[in-house]
Amino acid sequence: MVKLSVIVPFYNVQTYAPDTLRSLQANAREDFEFLLVDDCSKDGTPEILERAEREVPGARLIRHEQNGGLATARNTGLDAARGEYLTFLDGDDWLAPGHYEYLLTAMEELGVDFVRTDHVQCTARERKVFRVPVGRRGEVLSPRDAILPADRSTSVDYPMAWAGMYHRRLADRGLLHFTDGLRTAEDRPWIWRLHREADTFAVISHLGIFYRRGVASSLTQIGDIRQLDFIRAFDQVLEETAKDADSDRLLRKAVRTYCAVISHHLGSIERFEPAVARKLRAMSAAALKRMPQDILKEALDSMDAERASRLRRLRRRPAPFSASSSEAAA
């Protein structure tokens, strides 16, 4: 029986894939499988993965016929996974030896639906530790209780799917798949759904995953139209949260986070192509108008003056066209 399935999408990461694969080899166990999903790479990545399938214990190569993006590639891996436990890794990141065994032991001892863990962000030679914004460590917690408060960073603000491990029963309940086609912010609806609907989780103080920041091919570095998928992602968060029995409380957090992300993108709008920057403003203005206006007012009143002023100006802006969330996918 496969104990753990690790889903690793790759797309044009020939420079970094060897480090990723070496770290998987240092985490191999006879009951672990590594699902290497090639999302139609155009560089030397496919050849590297072919070699890894022969050399890395437990490696299975899965190829996409056309590029579908990170969310779709993760779903492909989920559909092929056989493990009792599941986790994710991106094709340009890497792990400390024994990282997965450590998390698996914690999960089995605690008996939770999922665990979340800290990570190290690596930008060139700089290293910076990022911690799950939950104070209680190594004990069984309620995921729903970790969504709030609205005005502080909480567990749903730490959305990275690779920063944790998940029991198969979550996949069986439909909680681990991503929204197909989302090119950015794909973790946002995912982490919110997980915290609303899973029963138990725990946070583990462990630094075993290294996230490579500043990769030129990473979508976070590219100011093109795909970046605007964050609007579609957060529209999904609002729509699904509005149906929750605790929607009155949870929407305050969802709206405030959505506003903070809009403000972040507007604050660095110069990195976008001019046409994309115009669309960002228009679509963000339309998004503000779609939000529950009483909750939006409360969120703006609670934010710092610079961000609140930026969003209020945008809110007053007349939308030149119907910039619905569906247009974010155009």
Side-chain angles (χ1 to χ4, degrees):
M1 180 178 177
V2 177
K3 177 64 78 170
L4 174 68
S5 296
V6 183
I7 296 153
V8 196
F10 293 83
Y11 179 65
N12 289 353
V13 287
Q14 65 178 10
T15 302
Y16 310 109
D19 290 341
T20 304
L21 294 163
R22 277 192 293 270
S23 76
L24 288 175
Q25 190 154 14
N27 275 265
R29 214 171 78 172
E30 62 180 11
D31 55 352
F32 288 3
E33 68 174 1
F34 304 122
L35 303 171
L36 315 177
V37 184
D38 178 25
D39 195 21
C40 202
S41 296
K42 304 300 184 186
D43 62 358
T45 301
E47 291 75 19
I48 294 170
L49 297 182
E50 287 173 6
R51 187 164 60 250
E53 187 176 33
R54 297 190 299 269
E55 298 176 356
V56 177
R60 293 168 54 200
L61 177 57
I62 303 171
R63 284 194 174 92
H64 274 176
E65 293 297 321
Q66 59 185 22
N67 178 262
L70 181 59
T72 301
R74 285 175 174 170
N75 288 342
T76 295
L78 280 169
D79 291 340
R82 300 172 296 177
E84 181 183 358
Y85 296 89
L86 304 155
T87 191
F88 305 92
L89 183 67
D90 287 352
D92 51 8
D93 299 336
W94 75 96
L95 310 161
H99 172 68
Y100 287 143
E101 192 152 21
Y102 187 96
L103 290 190
L104 181 59
T105 298
M107 279 207 71
E108 293 186 319
E109 289 177 352
L110 292 164
V112 291
D113 286 337
F114 66 98
V115 297
R116 303 290 284 160
T117 188
D118 308 322
H119 74 277
V120 181
Q121 178 176 291
C122 307
T123 308
R125 294 183 178 277
E126 181 185 2
R127 301 290 184 266
K128 186 175 181 181
V129 172
F130 283 81
R131 302 197 182 277
V132 187
V134 174
R136 295 162 62 187
R137 302 291 173 111
E139 59 182 285
V140 180
L141 303 173
S142 163
R144 178 175 288 264
D145 291 347
I147 296 174
L148 299 173
D151 60 349
R152 291 217 313 264
S153 182
T154 70
S155 194
V156 291
D157 300 313
Y158 188 85
M160 296 75 67
W162 38 257
M165 188 174 287
Y166 316 92
H167 197 282
R168 169 163 290 280
R169 58 180 169 262
L170 295 176
D172 294 341
R173 292 174 57 188
L175 301 183
L176 289 187
H177 279 72
F178 297 81
T179 302
D180 269 319
L182 276 182
R183 296 288 180 155
T184 191
E186 69 287 328
D187 291 337
R188 295 293 189 156
W190 179 88
I191 195 72
W192 270 84
R193 184 173 63 246
L194 200 59
H195 276 273
R196 285 193 313 265
E197 300 188 29
D199 297 318
T200 58
F201 87 118
V203 179
I204 306 301
S205 294
H206 179 61
L207 293 174
I209 188 160
F210 298 84
Y211 164 59
R212 199 186 300 270
R213 178 80 173 173
V215 176
S217 60
S218 171
L219 194 53
T220 58
Q221 303 298 307
I222 301 170
D224 71 10
I225 194 69
R226 293 171 293 176
Q227 280 280 14
L228 303 191
D229 268 10
F230 84 88
I231 292 177
R232 189 156 64 101
F234 274 98
D235 278 354
Q236 182 180 341
V237 171
L238 293 190
E239 180 183 355
E240 294 176 353
T241 303
K243 299 172 184 176
D244 191 275
D246 291 328
S247 61
D248 286 350
R249 296 168 58 241
L250 300 183
L251 277 174
R252 284 170 168 76
K253 173 66 176 176
V255 167
R256 196 177 195 281
T257 305
Y258 197 171
C259 287
V261 174
I262 290 173
S263 181
H264 166 76
H265 283 293
L266 292 173
S268 57
I269 200 166
E270 67 281 352
R271 69 191 176 92
F272 289 95
E273 300 160 3
V276 178
R278 290 193 296 272
K279 195 163 188 177
L280 169 62
R281 291 191 186 96
M283 293 179 67
S284 297
L288 291 173
K289 290 177 171 61
R290 288 194 299 274
M291 296 177 194
Q293 294 302 295
D294 56 336
I295 297 177
L296 174 60
K297 181 180 183 304
E298 181 182 310
L300 295 178
D301 289 345
S302 70
M303 298 177 82
D304 62 86
E306 181 180 357
R307 288 193 299 174
S309 176
R310 179 185 292 149
L311 292 169
R312 287 191 177 106
R313 287 196 303 271
L314 188 68
R315 187 186 182 193
R316 292 192 293 268
R317 170 192 172 115
F321 62 97
S322 178
S324 66
S325 60
S326 61
E327 292 187 55

